[in-house]
Structures are given as C-alpha cells and as structure tokens.
Amino acid sequence: MTKQISFNAFEMNCIAHQSPGLWRHPSDRSTEYKDIEYWTDLAKILEKGLFDGIFIADVLGIYDVYHQSAEHALTGAVQVPVNDPLQIVPAMAAVTQHLGFGVTTSISFEHPYPFARRISTLDHLTKGRVGWNIVTSYLESGSKNLGLSAQLNHDDRYEVADEYLEVLYKLWEGSWEDGAVLRDKHAGRFADHTKVHPILHEGQYFKVPGIHICEPSPQRTPVLYQAGASTRGQKFASQNAECIFIAPPSKIAAKKIVQSIRQKLREEGRDPYSVKIYTLLSIVTGETDQKADAKFKEYQSYGSYDGALTLVSGWSGVDFSQYQAKDRVEYIETNAIQSMLDAYVNADPDRIWTIEEIAQWNSVGGNGPVIVGSAQTVADELQHWIEETDVDGFNLAYILAHQTFIDVVDFIVPELQRRGVYQTEYGHGTLREKLFGHGPHLAENHRGAKYRQGTKNKFAHAS
Amino acid sequence: MTKQISFNAFEMNCIAHQSPGLWRHPSDRSTEYKDIEYWTDLAKILEKGLFDGIFIADVLGIYDVYHQSAEHALTGAVQVPVNDPLQIVPAMAAVTQHLGFGVTTSISFEHPYPFARRISTLDHLTKGRVGWNIVTSYLESGSKNLGLSAQLNHDDRYEVADEYLEVLYKLWEGSWEDGAVLRDKHAGRFADHTKVHPILHEGQYFKVPGIHICEPSPQRTPVLYQAGASTRGQKFASQNAECIFIAPPSKIAAKKIVQSIRQKLREEGRDPYSVKIYTLLSIVTGETDQKADAKFKEYQSYGSYDGALTLVSGWSGVDFSQYQAKDRVEYIETNAIQSMLDAYVNADPDRIWTIEEIAQWNSVGGNGPVIVGSAQTVADELQHWIEETDVDGFNLAYILAHQTFIDVVDFIVPELQRRGVYQTEYGHGTLREKLFGHGPHLAENHRGAKYRQGTKNKFAHAS
C-alpha cells in the first residue's frame, strides 16, 4: 500500500504570501487578510478538505535588502504589512472542530514566561489543536526594532533556543503534575497545591523561579514544528521537532534533506518516522490538464519580478538588484547566498538558471515547485513525490486566496481518497493524536518528557 | 434629563474573578474559563444587553503574600490559573457586531514594537472595537519570572510608560499617513511608499528605527483605558486615557476621585468630560427586593474568607494572615497598606471595619459595592450613583458567571431603558465613535494626535 498523504495549508497574516504580485488578480482575496471573515472562511474550506492543519508563517520585519530599500516591499505588498499570527487562531477555532493550527513565533521576541501562557491559552481554547513553529531568528530589519543591535551568531542562537525550550518544557510538562487540578466544587478545592511546583529555573539566559500560571492544557506542550535546514538547525529539530517543514525546489533535493533528517533522528535515539516531514508545494488544477495549464499561465502573468526578487533578496541577504535579468546563477558567488541558491543548482544540475527564471519561479508558489494538471496528473505526481523522497505530506502554498485551496479540496482530495491514500475522516482527539495516533502528550522518549511531574530535585537533576 | 448610564462587564481569563469562593456555587460557570464557548456565550449575552464593552483584567503573577505562600491562591482558584486576555477577543469578535473589548496589558511585559502589532491586528479583526487598559506594574511574583529583579520604583515606572506610549503613538498615528494605503489592484500599487515613514525613535528606554509593520487599523490608536489611582497615575491618565476605571467602595469616596480626575483633565487642557469614568459595582437582582436579598445571602454563603484575604494581601502587599478575624482596621498601620484600606475607612468614617468584614466585602463582587434589589431598587441606586458622584457608568463585576450578567440584561437594562437613561441600540462605527460620538481616531487635542502624518522632521520635533 502506498504511504498516506497529508496536507497542510501554508499561510501568513499578510497579502499574497508566497506569490508576490498575485494579489492583483481579480479573484484573489488575500488583500482581505485583516478581516476575521477571511480566516473563518479559510478554516472552513480546509476542514472540509480534511487538512491536518494550517501553518501560519511570520516575519516581524521588512524585506528591505532589494535595492536596499523598503520601496518594492511596500508598493508590491510583499509580506508587508503583516499582522500577528496568533490572534487569527481563536477566530478559526470558533468555526472548526478538527483543524490544527501551527503558529510561528520567534524565541527572540518574547520572554518564555508570558509566551508559555500564550500557547497554553491557545491550546485550551482550541481543545488541543495547537502546534508551534519554533523560529530562532528573524530579518535583521525586525530585530533592529527591538533594540537588538545585531542578530546573535548562528550557533549561539541555538544555545539560547535550547534554554528557551528547557524553560517551556519545565512550565508545560513539569510545573503541574497530572492530578494537580481537582476542580472539586463540593470540597472547595480547585487544585492540590502540593502537586504544583515552582520550576526554579536559573540558567545562562533566563531566570524563572515560579509556577506555570496556566493549568495543563490538553496537549501540555503544543505539537512542535521546525523548519531549520542548517546542520545545527537539523540537530535542534531532531531533538525537539515533531513535524518538520522543508522547501526544496525538486524531488532530488527533497530526498537528500529527508534522508539527512531521518538519520539525525536515529542519532538522537528517536524513531526516524516519529517526525512528520512536510514539503512546500503549490497545486494548480482543473477539470483537464489543458484547463490547469491555462490557469497556470494566467496566474504567471500576474507574478511580479520585483516582488519575487524582494523576497529572494530578503531570504538570502544578497541584493539581487545588482544582477541583470539574463544573468546566470552559476556566475553568482553562491557561498555568499547561503544554501538557497545551491538548492536551485542542485535541483537540476544540467539546467542553467537565470535571475529572471528564479524570479519567475518564486513569483508563483514561492520557492517550492508548482504541480499543474488535472486531478489525475496532480495525484500521480504527489504520489511520485511521496515514493521518491520519503516525505509524509505537503505544505501547500496558495497562489490565489482562497481559490487555490478550494480547487485542492474539490479536485485533488477526492482523487487521493479514491486511491486510498488520503484520510476520509479526521482521527480522534488532539492534534498530536490525529497526527501520530498517540498522545495527547509528548512521546515518552521526547526531550520534553523528562521534565514531567517535576519535583525540585528532579528539576535540579534534569538537563 | 438624567445623565445616560453605561455598562461595562468586568472579566478576567480566570475563575471567580472578583468573588473568591463563588466558583463553588453549582450555577457558576467560571471554571469553564478556558473554553472558547464560555467567552462566545458571554459576548452574546453582553451584546444583547447593549453593554459598551467587556473589560478584561489581567495579572501575570500569583497572589502569594497571604501566609507568604501560593497555597490559598491555588487551592481556592484565586485569580490563578489565569490565561492570556488577548486571545479570547477574536473568538468573541467572531460572534458579535458591536461589543467593545478592553484588554489589559502591562508595559513591562512586551517590547512596544511587537505589542503595537498585536493591538493593530486586534483592531483590524474587530473592525475597530478595541480598547487597551494600560498597566504600568504587576505583582512582584510576576516580574520575578521575567528576570526583573525588582519592580521599578513608582515614578520611574511612569517615565518608562511615557516613552512606551510615545513609541506606540508614533507607530499607530505617524508611521502610515492617511492615504498611504492604495490597495490598487489595477495599477498594482498596494501602498504609496512615500507616505510610510520610519519612526526613527531613539529614546532613553527604546530604540525603534522602523515603520509600523501593520497598515492603519480602523481606530489606529485603540481606545485608551487607565485605572491608576495614585497622583502620578492620575497625571498619566489625564494625558492619555479616554476611559478611566475606578473602584471606590462608596459614593463618598467615588465623588472625591471623580472630582480629582476631572480637575486633572482641566489642568491638561482637556475637556473634563472627554473621558468616561466607570466605577466598579456588582448587582444582585430578581423579581422583588426579597428575592434579590435571598439570592445575595445565598451568594455570600459561598464567599471565601481565605480567598478574599488572599486578594487583599496581594493588592496591599501586607500579609493579612497576621491579623485575627475580629481585629479592627483602625488598628492596622494603614499607611503601610497604600491607599486601599484608607478607602474603606473613608467610605464611612463612622463605621469600624473588622478584618472579617473586609473579607466578606471582598468575597462577593471584589472591592466594589454590591447593589441588591428589584429592578426598581437597583435602577434608583444606580441613578443616585450617577447623580451624586458624576461617574459616567459602571464596570460591573460578576458574582456568578454568567448568571449575574444575564440578570442585569433581563432585569436592569429594560428598567433603565424605560427611564430613558440607557441606550436602546448601539451607536454607529468604531468603539471610539460609539463611546464619544466622534472618531474613529483620537481627538485632535489628545497627546497622541501630534504624532500624526509624521515626517522625519515632525518626529524630531515632537515630544
């Protein structure tokens, strides 16, 4: 039997998230991102399509590397303005029963103590449907506005992240024992205070003496997502993540990353398949291949060259305005552009990419590939992806809000269900139980589990 | 014509907010505080009763002064656990059209840059129904968990608060000019970037060079609430607040505070009636005075002596466990207990309060008075309050969630409407327009207005 396929929706509280320029299309709704109905409508579409969840990206900063200016970002609405990702979740939760919510937050931007409360509150309100995408850095333009003079260097960032997670695990897993909450109206005892423990955390970066201010939420620790692609990032992910998002441009590149992630999990003593890996994709579909192709061509005509290079410049830190449209990527010093451009080169070693082609690639569906065709064609290709790369599912970016997701739900989901590779109803319980068939809490061999039912002594010994 | 009367609901994302012990009553729902339905049900009740808004208090810390322990707070669910106040608002907004939302946040707990985004997001999602209750300090037990070794001293706190507000006004009022957002699909221009300004803030406590990351929300600056009672707090409020919450135990005490607030407003060059003052109250009502009295006695039987003194100890910083139930307040060194106990003494100079009486007072409806009686009796007394104290409305604490508010909506609102002193439909527009009849933005002579449509020069000269 072919492996089951899972869908996540990839969103952000902004306009034309991964498809710069497409907001100009008459049918695109993403300029309504600031309205509550935009999100409640979307949540209902995704739940109808039995999506695992919606994954909400975030960037608290402006893409101002391209032309060393914010002009193109502002004129073209390239991920700016961008609203808070957290607050759209309670509204979506109010109109759904099963859909999961992955919220992105950087550990640089809030102290772990109030952050722990935010996530516990959300897990309560959603009855255990929350995931957290752990981000360790942000755009330089964002950190400046918080008075952080420079980003921590890459490896130090993970030192802080390790301790940040430790504080959270102590609060979420250890502070309130199972059975601490009695809720006994008759006896007048809400909690057994002997089972509620101050975490007494004194670390290098944080001092948190107190108890968690929230009672345990359904999942305690939210489902943990990560998207780090660097070696250090993969180590961090292999210790903490339960879901990993990747964004390679091709199956060849995806296969390498997936192998590396599963190997790291083995090295950490975790089942390599205890983590779900979702890869970024977009889908353009219709009744026939021809109709889908025509749709795609029309979408491409709305893509923005400047918008795409605004994103690519921000992601890579390199001002692409210094290159001409016909310049070939092989002539760019790729080591200065981090791993991103390498991925394009590796994706298809025989292809010579021009700047223009990279811009076009990124202007529709972001840096992930776009699969175009009828339901049969797309389903075939999705199955090829699953078989050849060993990913567990797809993180689907939209091209047109919400039409892309409506098309996926109307065309692709039924086809995959017919093939027996897509769920026909939601599983029971919390997001973690739906994803992994166990829970609602972290698996016993997860790093966070050792902080459970803590006593003062246990905390002192745990590391 | 008698002055119009306004109602606010006083809530907190916790159990038995102002009535410690009452969660043990079989009809109380406040133990459901963590569920989304608790809040959506409440929002619908309040909107049916044409309440101005719901004011959500917050304390990120534990009441651990009483017996110098968290035991009574945890056992009796005395404002702990307490979830994040912000996230219940989008859920309530999704099921209402008019109700306002006042959210409490301390300036100590988040940098103004991401905080500005949170509030702008909420104002967008609610279509302009957001208020912010500005808090400058918190429980010591809370600040410790953020690694703040000691609270700033009282006056310094307001220096920080002044600059915090300055940063927010620059972001909310000045960064995006009116007309900066074009949303022009046809021309492909989302914004006119020449009308979006970096705020270039370099102050004593904060450095924020960038633009506001959100486009202007309906109100830009949310309706500003304040509850500071000290002299410095009143000055801060008179410069910033549009609504002020007070909590005196009697009409005599209320009258003095209101006079002082309106005088401070005059001194700041503002119309003394440009600020709405709400005073804390609870209402117990029923078909007849007798039925209301019986209800009140039953409620009182669920009040908790230890729970009330846990609150009073936390508010005052004095461990009340050192006193006996029959001890008289006049024997306590009131100057060590800040202004709180003075208020009891001033409330009725001839009355000798015992510790037990203070506990009983605070165990039902918090430190505000409780008005008990039929709709006629209560309406009479509310009108006396308005006439004798010059307040604009009432911040109503519940005794039983949600029964207290259901009773107010069923009995008191129709009686006040019959007398022509309560609105019979909501006004138009944003919260600010509903409250003041003008808006949606800050009044021209408000401190925040001078930061409008800022240019670099303007910011450099504004103070």
Side-chain angles (χ1 to χ4, degrees):
Chain A
M1 191 186 95
T2 315
K3 213 167 144 180
Q4 293 288 299
I5 295 177
S6 298
F7 284 160
N8 245 288
F10 192 32
E11 257 282 12
M12 188 161 160
N13 200 346
C14 69
I15 294 167
H17 174 211
Q18 291 277 311
S19 299
L22 267 292
W23 66 274
R24 299 173 297 181
H25 191 287
S27 302
D28 183 75
R29 284 187 62 184
S30 70
T31 51
E32 302 167 30
Y33 75 100
K34 57 196 179 48
D35 298 326
I36 209 162
E37 298 80 5
Y38 176 85
W39 297 103
T40 51
D41 286 354
L42 176 59
K44 286 184 268 191
I45 292 163
L46 300 176
E47 185 156 284
K48 183 184 163 208
L50 302 170
F51 275 51
D52 285 352
I54 173 172
F55 171 47
I56 308 155
D58 187 36
V59 173
L60 184 58
I62 280 204
Y63 290 83
D64 58 4
V65 174
Y66 188 59
H67 284 285
Q68 296 174 53
S69 151
E71 176 178 343
H72 285 285
L74 284 164
T75 309
V78 183
Q79 297 192 4
V80 66
V82 53
N83 282 351
D84 183 24
L86 198 71
Q87 296 175 60
I88 53 181
V89 176
M92 291 193 283
V95 298
T96 54
Q97 297 277 313
H98 301 286
L99 188 68
F101 303 100
V103 179
T104 298
T105 313
S106 168
I107 62 146
S108 334
F109 282 10
E110 188 166 41
H111 188 283
Y113 193 70
F115 178 70
R117 180 169 79 149
R118 286 200 207 275
I119 293 293
S120 294
T121 300
L122 204 57
D123 201 47
H124 278 302
L125 289 175
T126 61
K127 297 186 172 62
R129 293 191 273 153
V130 174
W132 169 38
N133 177 39
I134 311 166
V135 167
T136 57
S137 69
Y138 263 79
L139 290 180
E140 185 75 22
S141 62
S143 54
K144 272 185 195 152
N145 288 311
L146 284 133
L148 309 172
S149 54
Q151 295 261 19
L152 284 168
N153 83 49
H154 188 265
D155 283 358
D156 285 353
R157 240 164 58 195
Y158 282 101
E159 298 299 314
V160 179
D162 278 339
E163 191 183 326
Y164 195 100
L165 267 286
E166 185 182 332
V167 172
L168 292 176
Y169 290 138
K170 286 176 176 176
L171 291 169
W172 285 332
E173 298 290 326
S175 182
W176 294 64
E177 292 183 30
D178 286 342
V181 176
L182 306 170
R183 244 183 190 75
D184 186 338
K185 284 196 175 204
H186 190 69
R189 292 183 75 205
F190 173 75
D192 175 351
H193 71 283
T194 66
K195 293 185 175 171
V196 184
H197 310 288
I199 69 165
L200 305 173
H201 178 84
E202 291 219 20
Q204 193 179 346
Y205 304 101
F206 305 106
K207 283 192 176 62
V208 182
I211 68 163
H212 188 31
I213 199 84
C214 303
E215 61 178 298
S217 69
Q219 300 184 116
R220 287 183 174 262
T221 298
V223 174
L224 297 174
Y225 298 171
Q226 244 266 300
S230 69
T231 307
R232 186 61 182 86
Q234 281 192 22
K235 182 174 161 62
F236 182 83
S238 66
Q239 291 174 327
N240 297 287
E242 301 174 272
C243 295
I244 295 179
F245 293 111
I246 62 175
S250 70
K251 291 196 283 274
I252 296 169
K255 186 178 178 178
K256 280 188 192 168
I257 298 174
V258 173
Q259 279 178 337
S260 168
I261 291 171
R262 301 229 192 264
Q263 179 55 31
K264 284 275 190 320
L265 287 164
R266 271 187 209 96
E267 289 167 13
E268 289 292 329
R270 294 175 68 191
D271 175 355
Y273 291 91
S274 63
V275 165
K276 285 207 186 283
I277 304 174
Y278 298 89
T279 192
L280 179 63
L281 269 190
S282 292
I283 291 170
V284 179
T285 189
E287 286 82 0
T288 63
D289 284 347
Q290 289 72 14
K291 285 191 182 175
D293 281 338
K295 211 184 254 191
F296 183 48
K297 286 203 178 59
E298 197 230 353
Y299 292 171
Q300 283 183 310
S301 73
Y302 285 92
S304 164
Y305 177 87
D306 286 322
L309 293 186
T310 298
L311 284 181
V312 172
S313 297
W315 292 335
S316 65
V318 171
D319 179 3
F320 272 71
S321 71
Q322 66 190 295
Y323 302 113
Q324 304 302 312
K326 303 293 178 197
D327 282 355
R328 291 153 72 175
V329 166
E330 60 181 335
Y331 300 140
I332 300 175
E333 291 182 37
T334 52
N335 61 343
I337 312 178
Q338 301 175 355
S339 60
M340 199 192 64
L341 290 182
D342 290 330
Y344 292 107
V345 177
N346 291 334
D348 181 355
D350 299 327
R351 175 168 172 181
I352 306 294
W353 291 72
T354 62
I355 298 295
E356 196 172 40
E357 285 167 340
I358 287 186
Q360 188 179 52
W361 176 277
N362 280 284
S363 69
V364 179
N367 55 339
V370 184
I371 300 180
V372 183
S374 67
Q376 283 76 13
T377 303
V378 171
D380 286 348
E381 181 62 11
L382 293 177
Q383 289 194 286
H384 292 153
W385 267 82
I386 294 282
E387 285 154 17
E388 293 173 34
T389 68
D390 197 24
V391 299
D392 300 289
F394 301 97
N395 192 30
L396 298 180
Y398 70 85
I399 297 171
L400 285 194
H402 298 315
Q403 194 56 51
T404 298
F405 291 124
I406 291 171
D407 287 348
V408 169
V409 172
D410 287 350
F411 291 101
I412 309 302
V413 168
E415 176 62 24
L416 294 175
Q417 287 172 328
R418 203 183 56 74
R419 298 180 183 202
V421 295
Y422 193 91
Q423 61 189 349
T424 52
E425 59 181 4
Y426 278 109
H428 289 289
T430 60
L431 177 59
R432 182 172 285 115
E433 290 164 279
K434 286 184 172 74
L435 291 176
F436 302 106
H438 61 78
H441 301 143
L442 286 173
E444 283 302 323
N445 66 342
H446 187 282
R447 179 189 165 199
K450 70 177 160 201
Y451 298 99
R452 277 191 189 141
Q453 302 192 3
T455 62
K456 292 176 189 183
N457 286 336
K458 190 160 183 189
F459 278 132
H461 293 301
S463 58
Chain B
M1 192 187 94
T2 316
K3 214 168 145 180
Q4 293 288 301
I5 294 177
S6 298
F7 284 160
N8 244 288
F10 192 31
E11 256 284 10
M12 187 161 162
N13 200 347
C14 69
I15 294 167
H17 174 210
Q18 290 277 310
S19 299
L22 268 291
W23 66 275
R24 299 174 297 182
H25 191 288
S27 302
D28 183 74
R29 283 187 61 183
S30 70
T31 52
E32 301 167 33
Y33 75 100
K34 57 196 180 48
D35 298 326
I36 209 162
E37 298 80 6
Y38 177 84
W39 297 103
T40 51
D41 286 353
L42 176 60
K44 287 184 266 190
I45 292 164
L46 300 176
E47 185 155 285
K48 183 184 163 208
L50 302 170
F51 275 51
D52 284 353
I54 174 171
F55 171 48
I56 308 156
D58 186 35
V59 174
L60 184 58
I62 280 205
Y63 289 83
D64 57 5
V65 174
Y66 188 58
H67 285 286
Q68 296 174 51
S69 151
E71 176 179 344
H72 284 286
L74 285 165
T75 309
V78 183
Q79 296 191 4
V80 64
V82 53
N83 283 352
D84 183 23
L86 199 71
Q87 296 175 60
I88 53 181
V89 175
M92 291 192 283
V95 299
T96 54
Q97 296 278 314
H98 301 285
L99 188 68
F101 303 101
V103 179
T104 298
T105 312
S106 168
I107 61 146
S108 334
F109 282 11
E110 189 167 40
H111 188 282
Y113 193 70
F115 179 70
R117 180 170 78 149
R118 285 199 208 278
I119 292 293
S120 293
T121 300
L122 204 56
D123 201 46
H124 278 302
L125 289 175
T126 61
K127 297 186 171 63
R129 293 192 273 154
V130 173
W132 169 38
N133 177 39
I134 311 166
V135 167
T136 57
S137 69
Y138 262 78
L139 289 181
E140 185 75 23
S141 62
S143 54
K144 273 185 195 152
N145 287 312
L146 283 133
L148 309 172
S149 54
Q151 296 261 18
L152 285 168
N153 85 48
H154 189 266
D155 283 359
D156 286 351
R157 241 163 57 195
Y158 283 101
E159 298 300 314
V160 179
D162 277 339
E163 191 183 327
Y164 195 100
L165 268 285
E166 186 182 332
V167 172
L168 292 176
Y169 290 137
K170 287 176 176 175
L171 291 169
W172 287 332
E173 299 290 327
S175 182
W176 295 64
E177 292 183 31
D178 286 342
V181 176
L182 306 169
R183 243 184 190 75
D184 186 338
K185 284 194 175 205
H186 189 67
R189 292 184 75 206
F190 173 75
D192 175 351
H193 72 282
T194 67
K195 293 185 175 172
V196 184
H197 309 287
I199 69 166
L200 304 174
H201 178 85
E202 290 218 20
Q204 193 177 347
Y205 304 101
F206 305 107
K207 284 192 177 60
V208 182
I211 68 161
H212 188 30
I213 199 84
C214 303
E215 61 179 297
S217 68
Q219 300 184 116
R220 288 183 174 261
T221 298
V223 175
L224 297 174
Y225 298 171
Q226 243 265 299
S230 69
T231 307
R232 186 64 182 82
Q234 282 192 23
K235 182 174 162 61
F236 182 83
S238 66
Q239 291 174 327
N240 298 287
E242 301 174 273
C243 296
I244 294 179
F245 293 111
I246 61 175
S250 69
K251 292 196 283 274
I252 296 169
K255 186 178 178 178
K256 280 188 193 169
I257 297 173
V258 173
Q259 279 180 339
S260 168
I261 290 171
R262 303 229 190 262
Q263 179 55 31
K264 285 275 190 318
L265 287 164
R266 271 187 209 97
E267 290 167 13
E268 289 292 331
R270 295 175 68 192
D271 175 355
Y273 291 92
S274 64
V275 164
K276 284 209 187 277
I277 304 174
Y278 297 88
T279 192
L280 178 63
L281 268 189
S282 293
I283 290 170
V284 179
T285 188
E287 287 82 1
T288 63
D289 285 346
Q290 289 72 17
K291 284 191 182 175
D293 282 337
K295 211 184 254 191
F296 184 46
K297 286 204 176 61
E298 197 230 352
Y299 291 171
Q300 283 183 310
S301 73
Y302 285 92
S304 164
Y305 176 88
D306 285 322
L309 294 187
T310 297
L311 285 180
V312 172
S313 297
W315 293 333
S316 64
V318 171
D319 178 2
F320 272 70
S321 71
Q322 67 190 294
Y323 303 112
Q324 303 303 312
K326 304 292 177 196
D327 282 355
R328 292 153 73 174
V329 166
E330 60 181 334
Y331 300 138
I332 301 174
E333 288 182 38
T334 52
N335 60 343
I337 312 178
Q338 302 174 352
S339 59
M340 197 193 64
L341 290 182
D342 289 332
Y344 292 108
V345 176
N346 290 334
D348 181 356
D350 299 326
R351 176 168 172 182
I352 306 296
W353 292 73
T354 63
I355 298 295
E356 193 172 43
E357 285 167 341
I358 287 185
Q360 188 178 50
W361 176 275
N362 280 285
S363 69
V364 179
N367 55 340
V370 184
I371 301 181
V372 182
S374 67
Q376 284 75 13
T377 303
V378 172
D380 286 349
E381 182 62 10
L382 293 177
Q383 289 194 287
H384 292 152
W385 267 82
I386 294 282
E387 284 153 18
E388 291 173 35
T389 68
D390 197 23
V391 297
D392 300 290
F394 301 97
N395 192 29
L396 297 181
Y398 70 84
I399 297 170
L400 285 194
H402 295 315
Q403 194 56 52
T404 299
F405 291 124
I406 292 171
D407 286 348
V408 168
V409 172
D410 287 349
F411 291 102
I412 308 303
V413 168
E415 176 62 25
L416 294 175
Q417 287 172 327
R418 203 183 54 76
R419 298 179 184 202
V421 294
Y422 193 91
Q423 60 188 349
T424 52
E425 58 181 5
Y426 278 108
H428 290 289
T430 60
L431 177 60
R432 181 172 285 114
E433 289 163 281
K434 286 185 172 74
L435 291 176
F436 302 106
H438 61 80
H441 301 144
L442 285 172
E444 282 303 322
N445 65 343
H446 187 281
R447 178 189 166 200
K450 71 176 159 201
Y451 297 100
R452 276 190 190 141
Q453 302 191 4
T455 64
K456 291 175 189 184
N457 286 336
K458 190 161 182 190
F459 278 133
H461 292 303
S463 60

